[in-house]
Amino acid sequence: MSNLTIDSIKKRSFDAIVIGSGISGGWSAKELTGKGLKTLLLERGPNVEHIKDYPTTNMNPWEFEHGGQITKEMRDANPVASRCYAFTESAAHFFVKDAEHPYIQEKPFDWIRGYQVGGKSLMWRWGTQRWSQYDFDGPARDGFAVEWPITYAELAPGTVMWRFLRVFPATKMA
Ligand SMILES: Cc1cc2nc3c(=O)[nH]c(=O)nc-3n(C[C@H](O)[C@H](O)[C@H](O)COP(=O)(O)OP(=O)(O)OC[C@H]3O[C@@H](n4cnc5c(N)ncnc54)[C@H](O)[C@@H]3O)c2cc1C
């Protein structure tokens, strides 16, 4: 920090700081920059370069040392991560191993994590559900987490908000 001059402080000043580059943080940063805010996105994990850093994508099961499955040793060392169906020989490199970041479970909780640029967007299954109002009502109805501050009606295609977002995409709203 020896070069902390006024100029560098200005250079290090941001309108918004987003921590984590997963779907939540990545999309937040995209929206913020689109509105003209000088945004800093901090990510704890390494960069993942498209193609180059997908070493297993084009491999066939028989090309893996264990046919694509994880070994008993790997399973024993990762009782939490290995409960995720995707924790396989082909994808385990994107998962945080249990010993790398242990945590206390007061109640059983499988915390599946991926520390890299893109976070778990590199691990998910591409299933994109379309919610109904029933889903937005879930926390209030079932008494968990926090209530949603928006309704389905506000987001649904054809509504005023939806048309507004379509007509004024983020880049033009700054
Ligand atoms: C195998 C699998 C399949 C899935 N399939 C689906 C699906 O089909 N459909 C669906 O809707 N959802 C699916 N999900 C869930 C979905 O992937 C996650 O809900 C979503 O990716 C979470 O995004 P996020 O940005 O909230 O968190 P994350 O993706 O976990 O991002 C958090 C980011 O923050 C970074 N970070 C953490 N701590 C710090 C720190 N201190 N400083 C800086 N950076 C930090 C992490 O490295 C990471 O990049 C799946 C999840 C898994 C594991």
XYZ file of all heavy atoms in Angstrom, residues 19-25 42-44 84-86 112 114-116 118-121 123-127 129, ligand 1:
260
model
N -19.067 -8.835 -4.495
C -18.186 -9.911 -4.018
C -18.731 -11.250 -4.510
O -19.847 -11.638 -4.173
C -18.075 -9.902 -2.483
C -17.516 -8.546 -2.028
C -17.179 -11.038 -2.002
C -17.472 -8.352 -0.536
N -17.925 -11.898 -5.338
C -18.314 -13.193 -5.886
C -18.845 -13.060 -7.297
O -19.662 -12.186 -7.584
N -18.341 -13.921 -8.184
C -18.680 -13.784 -9.615
C -19.566 -14.918 -10.113
O -19.513 -15.284 -11.274
C -17.388 -13.753 -10.443
O -16.740 -15.019 -10.371
N -20.364 -15.499 -9.195
C -21.310 -16.529 -9.634
C -22.464 -15.895 -10.411
O -22.373 -14.744 -10.856
N -23.543 -16.638 -10.543
C -24.688 -16.104 -11.284
C -25.196 -14.826 -10.621
O -25.473 -13.824 -11.289
C -25.806 -17.164 -11.373
C -25.346 -18.338 -12.255
C -27.085 -16.547 -11.931
C -26.302 -19.514 -12.290
N -25.281 -14.835 -9.279
C -25.798 -13.644 -8.577
C -24.862 -12.459 -8.766
O -25.282 -11.377 -9.194
C -25.952 -13.921 -7.081
O -26.668 -15.100 -6.864
N -23.576 -12.650 -8.426
C -22.624 -11.541 -8.506
C -22.339 -11.139 -9.945
O -22.234 -9.947 -10.258
N -15.056 -8.684 -7.159
C -13.999 -9.436 -6.466
C -14.349 -10.926 -6.475
O -15.479 -11.296 -6.154
C -13.871 -8.964 -5.020
C -13.415 -7.521 -4.807
C -13.498 -7.163 -3.321
C -11.999 -7.316 -5.325
N -13.398 -11.742 -6.846
C -13.613 -13.185 -6.877
C -12.447 -13.875 -6.182
O -11.290 -13.578 -6.473
C -13.728 -13.658 -8.336
C -13.694 -15.156 -8.533
C -14.737 -15.915 -7.719
O -15.922 -15.575 -7.789
O -14.341 -16.845 -6.989
N -12.750 -14.785 -5.279
C -11.695 -15.431 -4.506
C -10.970 -16.516 -5.299
O -9.822 -16.850 -5.010
C -12.276 -16.031 -3.223
C -13.062 -17.305 -3.447
C -13.655 -17.851 -2.160
N -12.643 -18.155 -1.192
C -12.853 -18.244 0.128
N -14.076 -18.052 0.601
N -11.893 -18.540 0.950
N -23.288 -34.744 -3.819
C -23.789 -34.078 -5.031
C -23.562 -35.008 -6.217
O -22.453 -35.498 -6.432
C -23.061 -32.760 -5.258
S -23.586 -31.916 -6.755
N -24.618 -35.230 -6.998
C -24.548 -36.180 -8.120
C -23.454 -35.814 -9.125
O -22.932 -36.660 -9.843
C -25.903 -36.222 -8.850
C -26.154 -34.971 -9.665
C -25.770 -34.892 -11.001
C -26.732 -33.835 -9.094
C -25.956 -33.735 -11.734
C -26.917 -32.687 -9.806
C -26.533 -32.645 -11.129
O -26.692 -31.486 -11.851
N -23.105 -34.500 -9.170
C -22.168 -34.040 -10.196
C -20.715 -34.123 -9.756
O -19.819 -33.770 -10.521
C -22.501 -32.597 -10.589
N -22.542 -27.159 -1.083
C -21.791 -27.467 -2.301
C -21.251 -26.150 -2.851
O -22.030 -25.229 -3.127
C -22.696 -28.150 -3.357
C -23.403 -29.365 -2.752
C -21.889 -28.518 -4.580
C -22.493 -30.464 -2.247
N -18.249 -23.878 -5.327
C -17.288 -23.833 -6.428
C -16.609 -22.481 -6.410
O -17.270 -21.459 -6.628
N -15.324 -22.486 -6.089
C -14.591 -21.224 -6.001
C -13.816 -20.994 -7.291
O -12.693 -21.477 -7.454
C -13.615 -21.250 -4.820
C -14.259 -21.251 -3.454
C -13.533 -21.634 -2.335
C -15.582 -20.848 -3.267
C -14.102 -21.631 -1.069
C -16.156 -20.847 -2.012
C -15.412 -21.239 -0.913
O -15.988 -21.236 0.332
N -14.424 -20.271 -8.215
C -13.764 -19.903 -9.461
C -14.599 -18.803 -10.104
O -15.737 -18.582 -9.703
C -13.675 -21.097 -10.431
C -14.998 -21.759 -10.774
C -15.193 -23.083 -10.072
O -14.232 -23.765 -9.775
N -16.433 -23.466 -9.801
N -17.170 -17.362 -12.148
C -18.387 -18.037 -12.619
C -19.029 -18.873 -11.529
O -20.184 -19.264 -11.654
N -18.283 -19.159 -10.460
C -18.844 -19.920 -9.338
C -19.501 -21.209 -9.796
O -18.945 -21.964 -10.595
N -20.700 -21.455 -9.306
C -21.390 -22.709 -9.621
C -22.077 -22.693 -10.983
O -22.680 -23.684 -11.383
C -22.404 -23.030 -8.516
C -21.720 -23.533 -7.257
C -22.710 -23.986 -6.201
C -23.401 -22.828 -5.554
N -24.048 -23.124 -4.291
N -21.962 -21.555 -11.694
C -22.537 -21.556 -13.050
C -21.736 -22.500 -13.949
O -22.174 -22.847 -15.039
C -22.556 -20.140 -13.649
O -21.235 -19.708 -13.943
N -20.999 -25.465 -12.840
C -21.336 -26.797 -12.345
C -22.819 -27.126 -12.495
O -23.196 -28.278 -12.392
C -20.969 -26.877 -10.857
C -19.497 -26.636 -10.588
S -19.244 -25.681 -9.088
C -19.610 -26.885 -7.824
N -23.652 -26.149 -12.703
C -25.095 -26.382 -12.657
C -25.555 -27.167 -13.886
O -24.792 -27.398 -14.817
C -25.858 -25.064 -12.509
C -26.029 -24.270 -13.770
C -25.055 -24.021 -14.702
C -27.214 -23.648 -14.246
N -25.585 -23.264 -15.716
C -26.901 -23.024 -15.468
C -28.509 -23.545 -13.762
C -27.852 -22.322 -16.213
C -29.440 -22.832 -14.505
C -29.110 -22.236 -15.707
N -26.846 -27.543 -13.857
C -27.332 -28.458 -14.887
C -28.138 -27.774 -15.988
O -28.811 -28.434 -16.776
C -28.174 -29.556 -14.237
C -28.257 -30.784 -15.095
C -28.790 -31.954 -14.314
N -28.443 -33.200 -14.986
C -28.717 -34.378 -14.513
N -29.344 -34.507 -13.381
N -28.372 -35.455 -15.166
N -28.158 -26.472 -16.016
C -28.842 -25.711 -17.052
C -30.358 -25.833 -16.993
O -31.043 -25.574 -17.971
C -28.375 -26.132 -18.468
C -26.941 -25.853 -18.773
C -25.934 -25.618 -17.875
C -26.317 -25.792 -20.055
N -24.745 -25.416 -18.522
C -24.950 -25.534 -19.876
C -26.797 -25.946 -21.344
C -24.060 -25.406 -20.930
C -25.903 -25.833 -22.410
C -24.549 -25.567 -22.198
N -30.901 -26.240 -15.860
C -32.359 -26.305 -15.730
C -32.867 -24.961 -15.253
O -32.527 -24.526 -14.161
N -36.055 -22.954 -14.259
C -37.486 -23.053 -13.968
C -38.170 -21.701 -14.152
O -37.572 -20.675 -13.847
C -37.710 -23.521 -12.521
C -37.170 -24.897 -12.219
C -35.678 -24.886 -11.897
O -35.102 -23.848 -11.627
N -35.053 -26.051 -11.942
C -24.299 -29.714 -9.539
C -25.267 -28.563 -9.484
C -26.318 -28.493 -10.376
C -27.215 -27.423 -10.327
N -28.218 -27.362 -11.257
C -29.077 -26.318 -11.251
C -30.105 -26.208 -12.235
O -30.231 -27.028 -13.138
N -30.952 -25.159 -12.156
C -30.829 -24.193 -11.200
O -31.615 -23.252 -11.193
N -29.841 -24.254 -10.271
C -28.974 -25.286 -10.272
N -27.982 -25.358 -9.331
C -27.884 -24.293 -8.359
C -27.190 -23.087 -8.989
O -26.044 -23.508 -9.690
C -26.793 -22.118 -7.882
O -27.942 -21.775 -7.117
C -26.198 -20.838 -8.431
O -25.182 -21.111 -9.376
C -25.657 -20.029 -7.265
O -25.139 -18.828 -7.771
P -24.565 -17.763 -6.777
O -23.981 -16.678 -7.621
O -25.598 -17.390 -5.770
O -23.446 -18.531 -5.944
P -22.081 -19.184 -6.467
O -22.176 -19.678 -7.848
O -21.701 -20.149 -5.389
O -21.079 -17.965 -6.497
C -20.420 -17.487 -5.359
C -19.102 -16.908 -5.848
O -18.537 -16.169 -4.779
C -17.152 -16.478 -4.696
N -16.767 -16.202 -3.311
C -17.126 -16.872 -2.199
N -16.573 -16.295 -1.124
C -15.868 -15.220 -1.570
C -15.077 -14.236 -0.941
N -14.913 -14.221 0.385
N -14.472 -13.287 -1.703
C -14.643 -13.283 -3.057
N -15.385 -14.224 -3.725
C -15.978 -15.158 -2.972
C -17.067 -17.940 -5.082
O -15.772 -18.316 -5.503
C -18.076 -17.981 -6.237
O -17.505 -17.652 -7.480
C -27.068 -26.410 -9.339
C -25.988 -26.477 -8.440
C -25.094 -27.537 -8.508
C -23.921 -27.584 -7.533
